[in-house]
Amino acid sequence: MIWQKFTKLTIRKNSNWPGLILYMLLAFVPVLYLSATGGKDHLPVFCDFSERRAGLLYHSVIIAFFTAVCCVSVGLFAAVKLHSKKRGNTLGRWFFLLTAPVPSYIYALTYMNLVRMMGRFIPSLLRYRMAGIWPCVIVEGFAFLPYACAAAMISLEQVDAGEWKAALLCRSADRVYWRIVFPKQLPYLMAIGAVIFVLSITDYTIPSLFQVNVYAMEIFSDYSAVGRSAHSLELSVPLLFVSAAVILMGILPLRNVAKPMKDDEEVIPQYSRLMNVAGSGAVLVAVLQIILPVFSLIPYVGSLSGSYVSAGEELWNSGITGLGAVAFVMIPSAMMALQLAEQKTMKPVWLGIAIAPLSIPGVLTGIGVLKFFSDTPLHVLRSGNIMPSIGMAIRYLPFAMLIQYGCYLRMDRNRIDAARLLQPGRGQAFWRVKVFMMMPGMAIAGLVVFLLTLGDVGTALMLMPAGKEPLSVKIYNYLHYGASETVAVFCLMQMAVCLAAVGVLYFGTWIWQKIHKR
């Protein structure tokens, strides 16, 4: 009876509170619990924001800002170049997504190997290029570049082809692009730039590899040293404020521009030589983003089977945690995304609430989940993979919601409305029509959550039980020891699992389409 009432509330038109409550419970409980139980530590309301911590926040902002700017700039010109080519070979236009599942520390290893190789001929490179802010920007830029390219390409395909062609009859391709197309593309670029900024500013693993102290590392170090969760929460306030401001400014404009794709016609603009050169350079960077890690790891393929013995258990732990995170994240993210897609009033408010958890650092999420499990009867589950899975689900819940939200906006509304009018009973249209239309978005969101969980280090370090170390943490530790050959083989194992997951989704989608056509 309870489940039936809940289902009716969920599928009822313009009913938004069930999905919102479930989403908020999962997304905000760790931080709210830390706030509610902070009095036990007898700390002042605000932490001491010293000059040293201001410098750490400055480092974090600089790395995140330049990473986002570089990714968006390269992605913009690469998309312009690729979009100007004739359609036909989908892989040729979307090749940059081949290594999108690759975790960022694999690019860190690639960068280190490349600098060591060049250092044999130019020794000064080893001194100036193995530490500092700019290696962090380069590594994170390569890691996040596929997402920036994808957002730029999708935004180009959103532009009305008829309007674009009409403008080309009167003006040059360059002027039409900057005056008409780029303003429509800008909200998507701002959104992906904001996401990249937050992913960078809340991560401490890559900066720590290049000996750069950042604010997220300060939170982790403080909790590791004194174990006071309330102090860690207070320490996170400046980072939360910066991240939340960037996320709200970057993503909220999307509420006015999300429309179904206009891909029925093909536009092939003839850009100037300067635009073509810039586009070719950006495409070259996207190609290097694939070639460099592949060629860096190929020499170690022969050692793959032997190293599986020493890291097979860690890889298993990573996979189980990832699958658990997908299971926990699917329902709340789908409900919230569906409610946002159908919301007609106060949409900016609900969208702001939905994307706010993006600003929470992974280490703070880990601390909140750890304390919640420790202080409640759930402490009996701390020794298994359930606690890390829930922590990862909370960390990447807003990412899954945003992906599904974008997919739901493109659903055929006429088909849904017709099903509602002709349904024989309440809820029949939802289960027989809408659920099947939601499947692609849920599948893509599940894959992204699995891949992000597989490569996560910051949250995993806080939540991994004794004897349940994931492979990502093992790779992170070995990178600090300088065991590049062993790390390369472990990275190959990680890449193999990531690419296998992508392959499963691809063939599953292909089979689904075949069945659906029948």
Side-chain angles (χ1 to χ4, degrees):
M1 181 65 68
I2 296 177
W3 171 250
Q4 291 177 351
K5 291 182 179 180
F6 182 73
T7 302
K8 291 179 181 179
L9 286 170
T10 304
I11 63 180
R12 186 180 298 169
K13 190 174 181 180
N14 295 330
S15 174
N16 57 0
W17 67 265
L20 179 63
I21 290 177
L22 183 61
Y23 185 89
M24 291 179 63
L25 280 175
L26 204 62
F28 293 105
V29 158
V31 174
L32 293 177
Y33 186 77
L34 288 178
S35 303
T37 58
K40 298 178 180 179
D41 292 335
H42 302 290
L43 292 172
V45 176
F46 295 102
C47 61
D48 180 20
F49 191 66
S50 62
E51 182 178 353
R52 184 183 69 84
R53 286 173 177 163
L56 297 179
L57 184 61
Y58 173 77
H59 289 166
S60 301
V61 171
I62 289 295
I63 293 173
F65 174 78
F66 281 103
T67 299
V69 169
C70 291
C71 288
V72 171
S73 301
V74 174
L76 169 67
F77 287 103
V80 168
K81 182 68 175 180
L82 294 171
H83 190 267
S84 64
K85 301 297 181 182
K86 289 185 178 181
R87 297 181 185 177
N89 185 2
T90 304
L91 183 60
R93 299 187 77 180
W94 297 85
F95 72 91
F96 48 80
L97 291 175
L98 288 174
T99 51
V102 174
S104 55
Y105 47 75
I106 294 181
Y107 287 100
L109 174 64
T110 300
Y111 179 87
M112 293 175 180
N113 289 340
L114 184 63
V115 171
R116 289 191 188 101
M117 182 181 66
M118 296 175 63
R120 298 175 183 175
F121 308 99
I122 311 175
S124 60
L125 285 176
L126 295 175
R127 182 172 55 182
Y128 295 109
R129 296 292 182 266
M130 291 298 286
I133 288 177
W134 299 114
C136 300
V137 173
I138 293 172
V139 169
E140 292 186 357
F142 273 121
F144 299 135
L145 180 59
Y147 308 108
C149 290
M153 183 69 82
I154 291 172
S155 62
L156 281 177
E157 294 189 349
Q158 295 275 90
V159 179
D160 191 314
E163 181 183 353
W164 197 344
K165 282 186 175 182
L168 287 173
L169 294 175
C170 304
R171 300 292 182 181
S172 64
D174 287 24
R175 189 165 184 178
V176 169
Y177 175 77
W178 293 113
R179 294 288 297 273
I180 297 177
V181 178
F182 179 72
K184 297 181 179 181
Q185 196 180 9
L186 186 59
Y188 299 90
L189 298 176
M190 290 177 60
I192 194 62
V195 172
I196 292 173
F197 181 94
V198 171
L199 285 174
S200 177
I201 201 173
T202 56
D203 176 64
Y204 62 85
T205 56
I206 297 302
S208 68
L209 292 175
F210 294 102
Q211 304 173 33
V212 178
N213 292 324
V214 292
Y215 204 86
M217 174 59 83
E218 179 75 2
I219 301 171
F220 175 76
S221 302
D222 178 83
Y223 184 77
S224 300
V226 298
R228 296 184 299 182
S229 56
H231 190 264
S232 299
L233 177 61
E234 294 173 359
L235 194 62
S236 304
V237 170
L239 195 61
L240 287 169
F241 178 79
V242 173
S243 301
V246 172
I247 281 292
L248 291 175
M249 289 188 297
I251 293 184
L252 282 181
L254 278 178
R255 71 187 188 275
N256 297 322
V257 298
K259 296 179 181 179
M261 280 191 174
K262 301 285 187 179
D263 60 349
D264 51 338
E265 300 182 46
E266 186 174 7
V267 182
I268 308 178
Q270 300 298 321
Y271 294 108
S272 65
R273 179 175 297 180
L274 181 61
M275 283 283 285
N276 283 321
V277 169
S280 299
V283 171
L284 177 61
V285 175
V287 172
L288 290 176
Q289 169 255 337
I290 297 173
I291 291 178
L292 289 179
V294 171
F295 277 89
S296 176
L297 299 178
I298 279 178
Y300 306 100
V301 172
S303 305
L304 193 60
S305 59
S307 294
Y308 179 79
V309 178
S310 60
E313 184 177 353
E314 288 80 2
L315 186 60
W316 174 260
N317 292 331
S318 298
I320 293 298
T321 301
L323 292 175
V326 172
F328 285 116
V329 85
M330 273 298 100
I331 293 179
S333 62
M335 291 176 63
M336 188 63 183
L338 190 60
Q339 298 296 346
L340 279 176
E342 296 184 346
Q343 186 66 34
K344 293 181 175 61
T345 59
M346 297 183 65
K347 193 169 187 176
V349 176
W350 303 129
L351 186 58
I353 293 173
I355 64 177
L358 283 171
S359 61
I360 302 175
V363 61
L364 187 63
T365 299
I367 293 172
V369 173
L370 182 62
K371 184 170 178 57
F372 183 78
F373 270 74
S374 300
D375 295 348
T376 62
L378 295 175
H379 65 85
V380 297
L381 303 176
R382 286 186 55 179
S383 59
N385 292 106
I386 293 181
M387 184 177 70
S389 296
I390 293 178
M392 294 298 180
I394 293 173
R395 171 71 176 125
Y396 297 116
L397 179 63
F399 294 92
M401 186 280 302
L402 281 175
I403 292 171
Q404 295 183 75
Y405 174 60
C407 293
Y408 295 168
L409 286 174
R410 297 172 55 194
M411 291 194 304
D412 188 349
R413 311 304 306 177
N414 294 330
R415 185 178 175 186
I416 295 174
D417 292 339
R420 281 175 177 163
L421 290 174
L422 301 175
Q423 61 182 344
R426 181 182 294 273
Q428 299 269 336
F430 178 82
W431 294 112
R432 293 186 178 183
V433 178
K434 187 179 289 188
V435 166
F436 291 98
M437 298 175 70
M438 293 166 56
M439 287 295 180
M442 296 179 70
I444 296 172
L447 175 67
V448 171
V449 170
F450 178 80
L451 296 175
L452 290 172
T453 300
L454 214 63
D456 187 280
V457 176
T459 311
L461 277 171
M462 301 303 306
L463 296 176
M464 63 179 187
K468 298 285 186 179
E469 182 185 36
L471 186 57
S472 58
V473 175
K474 191 180 187 73
I475 293 173
Y476 176 71
N477 291 331
Y478 271 67
L479 278 172
H480 283 86
Y481 302 149
S484 58
E485 294 184 3
T486 305
V487 172
V489 180
F490 292 163
C491 289
L492 274 172
M493 295 171 59
Q494 191 91 311
M495 284 184 63
V497 174
C498 292
L499 295 177
V502 174
V504 168
L505 177 65
Y506 177 80
F507 286 108
T509 304
W510 180 76
I511 294 173
W512 173 270
Q513 291 176 346
K514 290 289 185 181
I515 296 175
H516 188 66
K517 287 181 180 179
R518 293 177 183 177

